[in-house]
Amino acid sequence: MVIMLIFVFVIAAFLGLELIAKVPSQLHTPLMSGTNAISGITVVGAMSITAIAVSVGGLLGQILGFFAIVFATINVVGGYLVTDRMLGMFKKKVDK
């Protein structure tokens, strides 16, 4: 079970690095909304793996799963904050 959790973590880290490295810097902020959906799927995957670890009873798997959920959630929330800030830059300013 621990081997599967480590495998999922390594593949997710590798895939994330490859995806981010191939995006030009001008497109990072506009693509944030789309990547938030992918990050949401990551949260669901982390919860699924954690549920399996809880049912099996592996303490290490439960701990790694907990941290996976926390970090994926931070990623989603941060992505939405950056997207909101980016969209705020395009709003018309109201004169007072």
Side-chain angles (χ1 to χ4, degrees), residues 3 6-7 9 12-15 31-32 36 48 59 65 70 79 83-85 91-92:
I3 301 278
I6 293 172
F7 177 73
F9 176 75
F14 177 72
L15 182 62
L31 291 176
M32 189 62 71
N36 281 335
S48 300
L59 182 62
V70 168
T83 302
D84 184 55
R85 184 173 176 187
K91 290 182 182 175
K92 290 184 179 180

Side-chain angles (χ1 to χ4, degrees), residues 1-37:
M1 181 55 60
V2 174
I3 301 278
M4 184 175 78
L5 292 172
I6 293 172
F7 177 73
V8 169
F9 176 75
V10 169
I11 293 296
F14 177 72
L15 182 62
L17 286 172
E18 285 296 314
L19 287 174
I20 295 299
K22 301 230 186 294
V23 175
S25 61
Q26 297 90 345
L27 296 178
H28 274 279
T29 306
L31 291 176
M32 189 62 71
S33 295
T35 57
N36 281 335

